[in-house]
Amino acid sequence: MPEKIQMTDLSSEDQRRLALTGLEVDMKNRSGSFFQKDQDVCHVTSDCEGIEFLTINAALTKYPWVSDYFWRAVSKDKDKYTRYVAAQADKRGFVIIAKKGTRSVYPLQACLLMSDSPVQHVHNIIIAEEGSELHIISGCTSATARSSGAHLGVTEFYVGKGAKVTSTMIHNWGKNIAVFPRSAAIVEEDGVFLSNYVCMEPVRRIQMSPLCTLSGERAVGRFSSVVVAPPGSHLDLGSTVILGARGTSAELLTRAITTGGMILSRGMIHGMVKGTRGHIECKGLILKDGIIHAIPEIRGDVVDTELSHEAAVGKIAKDEIEYLMARGLDEETATATIIRGFLDVKVEGLPDVLQDQIDAAIDAAEKSGF
């Protein structure tokens, strides 16, 4: 691979923006790293035995069978964005293969930076073989000089029998960037797929609706989202889980705040077989005039499926602020404390290093006043 710009070569401001997405330029507490600037794959490495982190081209050359995984979970004809990615001759993105029984101590990180190009596309494949465990942090951002543009990303997850994949995506795009992620996961028997999404900074538009198909018995799918929409931001977010085998379960959890932007929060759980259960929870706060539109859906096709949902949108209760002020906090601090508690989502089964990263992103947004 020709020598290209590294994360350490970026300006201090762009490195700071990367850090806000959970990426570590110095690679501490990371077992692998991928860095793509525009359409240039600049760096890829893996330091964990049994886990391979490869560019698409390198993976296809080394393992021709990897081609069988392309466009299985996500259809290339899903929409105009997937068709665009499928039509590109210059394939960009990464392939992660966690070999049978391999468990990563530290997460792998993937950095996608938009800088000079108005459009960035990427197609990623993650394969967790039987009994493996894999943690990925995806940090997506635009350079300070990038005033507008569009990011199109396709990611396919394949979680084998008894495997566990945790995917944490933190977005820090510019206020005029449009983002269209397309992702899907197929989870086999006793597999676990955890998806965490954080977006606390201005962005023009994000539209995504990841799909998780629980195809093996006792498979688990959980989606957690923490988002803030300032004025000018339009967030159309959703996730769908298919309970396709006995004993499968799903949970979709969203915390949403608008300070003037639009949030459309979708969620769908489909119980197709007996002995399944799922729950959707969406809670929203309107701090300044904006819109939060929650659309939770549950569908049961059989007698023995247990599905539930709840959604609530409101404001900070005056009595909560007064309670904290009576204990010595000023109004601003009391309000910030309530907001921080509202966003403080603890994800079951999430490693401490990833939970700390989510908390850090929330802290950074809180300090900037959302």
Side-chain angles (χ1 to χ4, degrees), residues 98-120:
K99 300 297 180 64
K100 183 177 180 180
T102 301
R103 295 175 180 266
S104 63
V105 177
Y106 296 111
L108 291 84
Q109 66 179 18
C111 167
L112 299 173
L113 173 68
M114 282 187 65
S115 179
D116 304 317
S117 175
V119 178
Q120 182 184 53

Side-chain angles (χ1 to χ4, degrees), residues 229-245:
S233 292
H234 187 287
L235 309 182
D236 185 347
L237 313 172
S239 49
T240 297
V241 180
I242 305 298
L243 306 177

Side-chain angles (χ1 to χ4, degrees), residues 39-347:
Q39 293 311 119
D40 292 327
V41 177
C42 304
H43 174 80
V44 59
T45 184
S46 178
D47 299 324
C48 183
E49 185 176 355
I51 296 179
E52 296 196 63
F53 207 162
L54 306 165
T55 65
I56 283 182
N57 292 331
L60 292 173
T61 299
K62 187 174 183 179
Y63 302 114
W65 51 264
V66 167
S67 62
D68 296 336
Y69 286 87
F70 279 76
W71 304 112
R72 274 179 48 189
V74 177
S75 170
K76 66 175 63 176
D77 293 320
K78 176 180 175 63
D79 57 29
K80 63 181 180 181
Y81 304 111
T82 55
R83 288 192 291 271
Y84 177 91
V85 174
Q88 301 308 303
D90 57 330
K91 306 300 182 186
R92 292 294 184 268
F94 60 80
V95 174
I96 299 175
I97 304 172
K99 300 297 180 64
K100 183 177 180 180
T102 301
R103 295 175 180 266
S104 63
V105 177
Y106 296 111
L108 291 84
Q109 66 179 18
C111 167
L112 299 173
L113 173 68
M114 282 187 65
S115 179
D116 304 317
S117 175
V119 178
Q120 182 184 53
H121 64 84
V122 63
H123 190 169
N124 307 315
I125 304 291
I126 293 92
I127 303 169
E129 296 182 355
E130 181 179 346
S132 63
E133 187 169 332
L134 186 63
H135 309 294
I136 309 159
I137 294 177
S138 298
C140 305
T141 190
S142 54
T144 51
R146 181 77 255 167
S147 60
S148 63
H151 170 86
L152 315 178
V154 176
T155 303
E156 301 182 78
F157 297 89
Y158 300 94
V159 185
K161 181 179 179 181
K164 180 180 179 181
V165 172
T166 303
S167 172
T168 299
M169 179 182 292
I170 302 178
H171 277 175
N172 184 25
W173 298 107
K175 63 180 181 180
N176 291 315
I177 304 295
V179 188
F180 303 97
R182 298 293 182 262
S183 68
I186 298 175
V187 188
E188 298 180 14
E189 179 181 344
D190 293 314
V192 176
F193 179 67
L194 304 179
S195 175
N196 310 296
Y197 179 68
V198 179
C199 183
M200 315 289 289
E201 301 295 330
V203 62
R204 182 167 67 86
R205 185 184 180 194
I206 296 178
Q207 196 281 316
M208 65 180 189
S209 183
L211 169 66
C212 178
T213 301
L214 305 178
S215 60
E217 292 188 356
R218 297 175 301 280
V220 175
R222 295 196 185 101
F223 288 82
S224 300
S225 299
V226 180
V227 299
V228 174
S233 292
H234 187 287
L235 309 182
D236 185 347
L237 313 172
S239 49
T240 297
V241 180
I242 305 298
L243 306 177
R246 181 176 287 274
T248 54
S249 61
E251 182 178 38
L252 314 182
L253 175 64
T254 300
R255 294 290 185 270
I257 289 178
T258 178
T259 60
M262 167 72 179
I263 298 175
L264 183 59
S265 177
R266 309 173 190 268
M268 169 67 172
I269 300 178
H270 186 178
M272 300 181 66
V273 300
K274 297 180 179 181
T276 54
R277 58 188 176 86
H279 179 67
I280 301 172
E281 178 183 305
C282 176
K283 293 184 179 180
L285 276 181
I286 300 177
L287 298 186
K288 297 178 183 177
D289 286 346
I291 298 174
I292 298 178
H293 186 180
I295 310 175
E297 292 185 76
I298 52 177
R299 171 178 169 176
D301 293 355
V302 293
V303 173
D304 187 19
T305 183
E306 298 180 18
L307 308 175
S308 60
H309 71 74
E310 58 179 299
V313 175
K315 63 179 181 179
I316 298 177
K318 184 177 180 181
D319 59 344
E320 293 180 358
I321 296 176
E322 292 174 345
Y323 175 85
L324 292 177
M325 291 178 66
R327 278 150 181 77
L329 299 182
D330 59 48
E331 184 175 0
E332 182 178 348
T333 303
T335 301
T337 300
I338 294 169
I339 293 172
R340 186 60 179 81
F342 175 81
L343 294 174
D344 191 15
V345 177
K346 299 302 181 185
V347 182

